[in-house]
Amino acid sequence: MEVNIVALPSFKVRGRQWEGSYEQVPALKELIKKVGSEKEEIKPVDQDYQWGLSVHTIKNGFVHFSGFEVEDAKSDAAYEEMNVPRHTYMNVHHPKGRDIGETYASIYQWFRDGNAKPYLEPGTKYYDGLPLKFEKYPVDRDFDEPHFDIYIPIQA
């Protein structure tokens, strides 16, 4: 697994939020597809990539925000927005055909090996060793065997 350390400026994602348990993930996949079909209405900065922002603040589940990066302009009331502050990230590419569990197991190991520490928002309780997981998907991906980039915010 090739790891890159990258700094990304702050950005805004417009789309829809989902909250649920791991058992409810099939419903999340439908929401992700729905947001993808709403791309023209959302008016993204980059129409080629959709973001999936997962925040693990729920026991046995997580909050997921699916959307597209947009300019810092007034929101369309039909959608929710999430502001992502500037961070330094541990970044890896998840290749098509590889099990996502294997990719995340490698990421967990990278952190256990002491390469960096995941960023933790002060005063927030998390329920996962990787509390913030940001995924950037090409819109033309295969939903059965996707390829995408993973960004894990790390402590500076």
Side-chain angles (χ1 to χ4, degrees), residues 49 93-97 136-138 140-142 145-149:
Y49 292 95
H93 180 74
H94 171 71
K96 180 181 175 89
K136 188 176 182 182
Y137 308 92
D140 62 354
R141 69 195 173 277
D142 177 344
E145 288 193 38
H147 63 287
F148 53 92
D149 287 325

CSV table of all heavy atoms in Angstrom, one decimal, residues 49 93-97 136-138 140-142 145-149:
chain,number,residue,atom,x,y,z
A,49,TYR,N,-15.9,14.0,-9.5
A,49,TYR,CA,-15.7,13.3,-8.2
A,49,TYR,C,-16.8,13.6,-7.2
A,49,TYR,O,-17.2,14.7,-7.0
A,49,TYR,CB,-14.3,13.7,-7.6
A,49,TYR,CG,-13.2,13.2,-8.4
A,49,TYR,CD1,-12.6,13.9,-9.4
A,49,TYR,CD2,-12.7,11.9,-8.2
A,49,TYR,CE1,-11.5,13.4,-10.2
A,49,TYR,CE2,-11.7,11.4,-9.0
A,49,TYR,CZ,-11.1,12.1,-10.0
A,49,TYR,OH,-10.1,11.6,-10.8
A,93,HIS,N,-4.8,5.0,-2.2
A,93,HIS,CA,-5.8,4.6,-3.2
A,93,HIS,C,-6.3,3.2,-3.0
A,93,HIS,O,-5.5,2.3,-2.8
A,93,HIS,CB,-5.1,4.7,-4.6
A,93,HIS,CG,-6.0,4.4,-5.7
A,93,HIS,ND1,-7.0,5.3,-6.1
A,93,HIS,CD2,-6.1,3.3,-6.5
A,93,HIS,CE1,-7.7,4.7,-7.1
A,93,HIS,NE2,-7.2,3.5,-7.4
A,94,HIS,N,-7.6,3.1,-3.0
A,94,HIS,CA,-8.2,1.7,-2.9
A,94,HIS,C,-8.5,1.3,-4.4
A,94,HIS,O,-9.3,1.9,-5.1
A,94,HIS,CB,-9.5,1.8,-2.2
A,94,HIS,CG,-10.3,0.5,-2.3
A,94,HIS,ND1,-9.9,-0.7,-1.6
A,94,HIS,CD2,-11.4,0.2,-2.9
A,94,HIS,CE1,-10.7,-1.6,-1.9
A,94,HIS,NE2,-11.6,-1.2,-2.7
A,95,PRO,N,-7.8,0.2,-4.8
A,95,PRO,CA,-7.9,-0.2,-6.2
A,95,PRO,C,-9.1,-1.1,-6.5
A,95,PRO,O,-9.6,-1.8,-5.6
A,95,PRO,CB,-6.6,-1.0,-6.5
A,95,PRO,CG,-6.3,-1.5,-5.1
A,95,PRO,CD,-6.7,-0.5,-4.1
A,96,LYS,N,-9.6,-1.0,-7.7
A,96,LYS,CA,-10.8,-1.8,-8.1
A,96,LYS,C,-10.4,-3.3,-8.0
A,96,LYS,O,-9.2,-3.7,-8.3
A,96,LYS,CB,-11.0,-1.5,-9.6
A,96,LYS,CG,-12.2,-2.3,-10.2
A,96,LYS,CD,-12.4,-1.9,-11.7
A,96,LYS,CE,-13.4,-2.8,-12.3
A,96,LYS,NZ,-14.7,-2.2,-12.2
A,97,GLY,N,-11.3,-4.1,-7.4
A,97,GLY,CA,-11.0,-5.5,-7.3
A,97,GLY,C,-10.5,-5.9,-5.9
A,97,GLY,O,-10.5,-7.1,-5.6
A,136,LYS,N,-13.0,9.8,-1.8
A,136,LYS,CA,-13.3,10.6,-3.0
A,136,LYS,C,-13.4,9.6,-4.2
A,136,LYS,O,-12.4,9.0,-4.5
A,136,LYS,CB,-12.1,11.6,-3.2
A,136,LYS,CG,-12.4,12.6,-4.3
A,136,LYS,CD,-11.3,13.6,-4.4
A,136,LYS,CE,-11.5,14.6,-5.5
A,136,LYS,NZ,-10.4,15.6,-5.6
A,137,TYR,N,-14.6,9.5,-4.7
A,137,TYR,CA,-14.9,8.6,-5.8
A,137,TYR,C,-15.1,9.2,-7.1
A,137,TYR,O,-15.7,10.2,-7.3
A,137,TYR,CB,-16.3,7.9,-5.5
A,137,TYR,CG,-16.5,7.4,-4.1
A,137,TYR,CD1,-17.1,8.1,-3.1
A,137,TYR,CD2,-16.2,6.0,-3.9
A,137,TYR,CE1,-17.3,7.6,-1.9
A,137,TYR,CE2,-16.4,5.5,-2.6
A,137,TYR,CZ,-17.0,6.3,-1.6
A,137,TYR,OH,-17.2,5.8,-0.4
A,138,PRO,N,-14.5,8.6,-8.2
A,138,PRO,CA,-14.8,9.0,-9.5
A,138,PRO,C,-16.3,8.7,-9.8
A,138,PRO,O,-16.8,7.7,-9.3
A,138,PRO,CB,-13.9,8.2,-10.4
A,138,PRO,CG,-13.4,7.1,-9.6
A,138,PRO,CD,-13.6,7.4,-8.2
A,140,ASP,N,-17.8,7.8,-12.4
A,140,ASP,CA,-18.1,6.7,-13.3
A,140,ASP,C,-17.6,5.4,-12.7
A,140,ASP,O,-17.4,4.4,-13.4
A,140,ASP,CB,-17.4,7.0,-14.6
A,140,ASP,CG,-15.9,7.1,-14.5
A,140,ASP,OD1,-15.3,7.1,-13.3
A,140,ASP,OD2,-15.2,7.2,-15.5
A,141,ARG,N,-17.5,5.3,-11.4
A,141,ARG,CA,-17.0,4.0,-10.8
A,141,ARG,C,-18.0,2.9,-10.9
A,141,ARG,O,-19.2,3.1,-11.1
A,141,ARG,CB,-16.7,4.3,-9.3
A,141,ARG,CG,-18.0,4.5,-8.5
A,141,ARG,CD,-17.6,5.1,-7.1
A,141,ARG,NE,-18.8,5.5,-6.3
A,141,ARG,CZ,-19.4,6.6,-6.5
A,141,ARG,NH1,-19.1,7.5,-7.4
A,141,ARG,NH2,-20.5,6.9,-5.7
A,142,ASP,N,-17.5,1.7,-10.7
A,142,ASP,CA,-18.3,0.5,-10.7
A,142,ASP,C,-18.7,0.3,-9.2
A,142,ASP,O,-17.9,0.2,-8.4
A,142,ASP,CB,-17.5,-0.7,-11.2
A,142,ASP,CG,-18.2,-2.0,-11.1
A,142,ASP,OD1,-19.2,-2.1,-10.4
A,142,ASP,OD2,-17.7,-3.0,-11.7
A,145,GLU,N,-17.5,-3.0,-7.6
A,145,GLU,CA,-16.0,-3.0,-7.4
A,145,GLU,C,-15.4,-1.7,-7.6
A,145,GLU,O,-14.7,-1.4,-8.5
A,145,GLU,CB,-15.4,-4.0,-8.3
A,145,GLU,CG,-15.7,-5.5,-8.0
A,145,GLU,CD,-14.8,-6.4,-8.8
A,145,GLU,OE1,-13.6,-6.1,-9.0
A,145,GLU,OE2,-15.3,-7.5,-9.2
A,146,PRO,N,-15.7,-0.8,-6.6
A,146,PRO,CA,-15.2,0.6,-6.8
A,146,PRO,C,-13.7,0.8,-6.6
A,146,PRO,O,-13.1,0.0,-5.9
A,146,PRO,CB,-16.0,1.4,-5.7
A,146,PRO,CG,-16.2,0.4,-4.7
A,146,PRO,CD,-16.4,-0.9,-5.4
A,147,HIS,N,-13.2,1.9,-7.2
A,147,HIS,CA,-11.9,2.3,-6.9
A,147,HIS,C,-12.0,3.8,-6.5
A,147,HIS,O,-12.9,4.5,-7.0
A,147,HIS,CB,-11.0,2.2,-8.1
A,147,HIS,CG,-11.4,3.0,-9.3
A,147,HIS,ND1,-12.5,2.7,-10.0
A,147,HIS,CD2,-10.9,4.2,-9.8
A,147,HIS,CE1,-12.6,3.6,-11.0
A,147,HIS,NE2,-11.7,4.5,-10.9
A,148,PHE,N,-11.2,4.2,-5.5
A,148,PHE,CA,-11.4,5.6,-4.9
A,148,PHE,C,-10.2,5.9,-4.1
A,148,PHE,O,-9.4,5.0,-3.7
A,148,PHE,CB,-12.7,5.7,-4.2
A,148,PHE,CG,-12.9,4.7,-3.1
A,148,PHE,CD1,-12.5,5.0,-1.8
A,148,PHE,CD2,-13.5,3.5,-3.4
A,148,PHE,CE1,-12.7,4.0,-0.8
A,148,PHE,CE2,-13.8,2.6,-2.4
A,148,PHE,CZ,-13.3,2.8,-1.1
A,149,ASP,N,-10.0,7.2,-3.7
A,149,ASP,CA,-9.0,7.6,-2.8
A,149,ASP,C,-9.5,7.8,-1.4
A,149,ASP,O,-10.7,8.3,-1.2
A,149,ASP,CB,-8.4,9.0,-3.3
A,149,ASP,CG,-7.6,8.8,-4.5
A,149,ASP,OD1,-6.9,7.7,-4.6
A,149,ASP,OD2,-7.6,9.7,-5.4
